[in-house]
Structures are given as C-alpha cells and as structure tokens.
Amino acid sequence: MVTVEAAVVLLAVVLVLAGCLWGLAVGDSQLRVDDAAGLAARAAARGEADDRVRAVALSAAPDGARVVVERSQSSVAVTVVRTVTGPGLLGRLSTTVRRRAVAAREDAVVAVSP
C-alpha cells in the first residue's frame, strides 16, 4: 500500500517540477524577446538596414525566434515571436511569447504647427 502511495506522490512531484521548469522557460523567453524587440527597434530607428536589425534581434532573442520589421514614414516596429514547448511529459503543451516594440525614426521629418 505504501509503495502505491509513494509512486503517486513521486509522479505528482515530477509533474509539478516539470510545470515549474516550463514556467521558468516561458519567463526567460519572454524577457529575452522583450530585450530583443527593444534593441532591434532602436537599431531600426537609427536607420540600420533590415538585415542588420534582424541580426541584432536574433542575437538577443532565444533560439527559434522569428523577427518581423515594419517601417512607416515616421516610425519603425519590430515584432519578435517565439513558441515555447513544455519539457518532458509536458511536451505537447506550448505557448507563444511575443513583443512588439515601436520607435520613432531618427531621420523622419516631423511637422510642428505653431
């Protein structure tokens, strides 16, 4: 009887630990995606080429991240997206973390009315 109870408790502990590890992985990915989007938006605002902006984002982002750069006349937006899958037994679970950072272009002409 004690063996069955110990097995159930051990399984529960393993599942809780796996869930905690997945939560840490998601949090880490979100922080890295936030940093990557901000760095890339600042690089794009300075007038860097899209390839360079993507390289800046991917150097700070976690592996497997995707980067989208959008430019308008007055601003640039960089979106960094990554899907995080669960560890071990939670491998079928996944969540997507994303961050969109927008910055004003430094070379943009802004009209100011008196």
Side-chain angles (χ1 to χ4, degrees):
M1 186 75 140
V2 173
T3 306
V4 173
E5 291 168 350
V8 170
V9 168
L10 183 60
L11 179 61
V13 168
V14 168
L15 288 175
V16 168
L17 181 60
C20 290
L21 291 174
W22 184 49
L24 289 172
V26 170
D28 177 61
S29 291
Q30 184 66 59
L31 290 173
R32 293 180 63 194
V33 162
D34 289 349
D35 289 344
L39 288 171
R42 285 190 291 277
R46 287 191 307 267
E48 300 280 347
D50 285 357
D51 291 342
R52 177 69 182 133
V53 171
R54 283 188 187 86
V56 167
L58 292 174
S59 69
D63 292 338
R66 299 181 311 274
V67 179
V68 177
V69 180
E70 302 168 56
R71 295 181 185 266
S72 71
Q73 288 184 357
S74 61
S75 65
V76 292
V78 178
T79 304
V80 181
V81 180
R82 181 171 189 262
T83 300
V84 182
T85 56
L89 298 173
L90 301 176
R92 291 186 173 213
L93 297 177
S94 67
T95 189
T96 302
V97 293
R98 70 182 71 234
R99 177 61 62 191
R100 183 172 194 259
V102 179
R105 290 177 55 171
E106 291 180 5
D107 62 349
V109 177
V110 178
V112 177
S113 60

